[in-house]
Amino acid sequence: QLFANVSGSADDEGTCLCSVYLPDTTFPVQKAEQLEIIAATLSEKFERELSQVREYSKMIELYQQQILNLTIRVEHMEKSSVSYAQLDFQLLKVEISDLERLVTQLKSSLVGSNVIVEQIYLEITNLTILVNELESLDKNNVLAIRRQIVSLQNRLKECEEGTNKTTVPPYFPPGSCIHRGLLNVSQPYIVKLNWRGFSYKYGSWGRDYSPSNPEKEVYWVAPLNTDGRYLQYYRIYSSFDNLLLFKPMYESAITYGEGSGAALYNNYLYYHAYSSRHMVKHDLKRNAMVLKKELPDAVTGNRFSYAGVSWQDIDFAVDESGLWVIYSTENSMGNIVISKLNETTLDVLNTWQTRQYKPSVSNAFMLCGVLYATRPMSTRKEEIFYTYDTSTGQEGRISVIMDKKLDTIQSIDYNPTDQKLYVYNDGYLLRYDMTFQP
């Protein structure tokens, strides 16, 4: 019902007055007006805040640039040879103080935390500490100290230049031992990957030493099977060029050998017979085993092999005086034992027992009757660190660093003709030049 009769009254002037109750079914104009006012107010506040954020972003970029400039100046102060006394510390401190004040105001005007602002504030604090330290150092006469440092640096540079001058190493005829032992080795010459491929990480290689015909070139490469134990195939090359070009003189199979300790001497390949104490002498010309003899008291079965190299219980070596074998016995408690062999009969001519534990060294070789043992320093460096002189019975310590291509050295063979080391390194064939002490 939209209409109804209501009672009314007249005022003093005779105007009729009546009260009418209207239910709240009409549009809320007043509330809409209030909402419009609130929305306008919020919009103005948002615009102000957004304008402040834009201004703060510009200020932050400016501060970052100023901090970068200050950092460059401080670094220059640290690195240059200019005296700190000649620098204007007060100017730096004033600029940093201004930055600190502005960032503090910026922090207080922002609601909540801001990572960029906090980072800028931390950098300013660090700059303040650094400049104060520099100023303090300047009070302690840094100019005089710097002059001393420059003088020492110049003397050190002169010393290094004198050390780095190229000197021709003394020449020692091949096959002679008139030097005083190993002095250094060169960077490795990476010849190539072994002929069977990357999976054949164990093996040995080198150049034959024939005292009657030392200039004749014969090279051998004998990768083990992928189990790192069985020696089954080897290749012979008539020259180093043919080895590089994969042109073998021939490839042969032998009765199973064991480990990476094979060596070639005077056209005979010497190796450890599989799962035994026997040494084998193999004729290259006939590709036939000509002699097999047990090495007395040698411990086999991978008990005292080299560190990181399995199944090298018996390791043959060749030097200027002939054929050697490196191994361990129960009586030596795993320490290295060296025996000089008669290459014709494989009889043991003499034996020396060292105090160096064989499983603690990574490999060994003989040079002029002296045993040299190695150990790993890292995945890319090896150290020749131990010596045993069979002529005097004296042990010694040296430090000759050898770079290597991969982690593990499986075999090292020395050749007296070219005075080089032949290294089998995780399937790669490496070669090193050597220098000796005059």
Side-chain angles (χ1 to χ4, degrees), residues 84-103:
Y84 294 144
Q86 299 168 358
L87 300 174
D88 191 352
F89 288 102
Q90 293 301 320
L91 179 59
L92 275 176
K93 292 170 75 174
V94 168
E95 292 182 12
I96 293 174
S97 177
D98 290 340
L99 281 175
E100 187 175 9
R101 176 177 52 80
L102 292 173
V103 171

Side-chain angles (χ1 to χ4, degrees), residues 248-265:
M249 192 160 57
Y250 57 85
E251 176 183 329
S252 297
I254 60 175
T255 304
Y256 274 143
E258 182 174 280
S260 304
L264 189 61
Y265 179 63

Side-chain angles (χ1 to χ4, degrees), residues 232-343:
Q232 187 176 5
Y233 298 100
Y234 69 91
R235 278 186 177 180
I236 300 297
Y237 300 86
S238 59
S239 70
F240 189 70
D241 289 341
N242 286 340
L243 187 149
L244 292 176
L245 296 172
F246 290 92
K247 293 182 178 180
M249 192 160 57
Y250 57 85
E251 176 183 329
S252 297
I254 60 175
T255 304
Y256 274 143
E258 182 174 280
S260 304
L264 189 61
Y265 179 63
N266 207 13
N267 283 317
Y268 289 94
L269 183 67
Y270 297 87
Y271 63 90
H272 173 208
Y274 170 72
S275 193
S276 72
R277 291 181 178 174
H278 288 92
M279 302 176 288
V280 176
K281 181 179 181 180
H282 185 87
D283 188 350
L284 295 184
K285 294 180 179 179
R286 293 186 292 158
N287 190 32
M289 180 179 66
V290 296
L291 185 61
K292 186 177 182 179
K293 181 167 285 190
E294 185 176 283
L295 179 59
D297 301 323
V299 174
T300 58
N302 199 34
R303 185 175 180 193
F304 294 129
S305 187
Y306 292 127
V309 183
S310 301
W311 304 107
Q312 202 165 341
D313 302 292
I314 296 177
D315 184 17
F316 290 93
V318 174
D319 73 352
E320 290 79 1
S321 62
L323 184 64
W324 303 78
V325 64
I326 304 165
Y327 59 105
S328 292
T329 65
E330 292 291 352
N331 289 335
S332 74
M333 295 179 291
N335 290 343
I336 292 176
V337 176
I338 311 164
S339 288
K340 185 72 172 64
L341 297 178
N342 182 314
E343 62 271 12

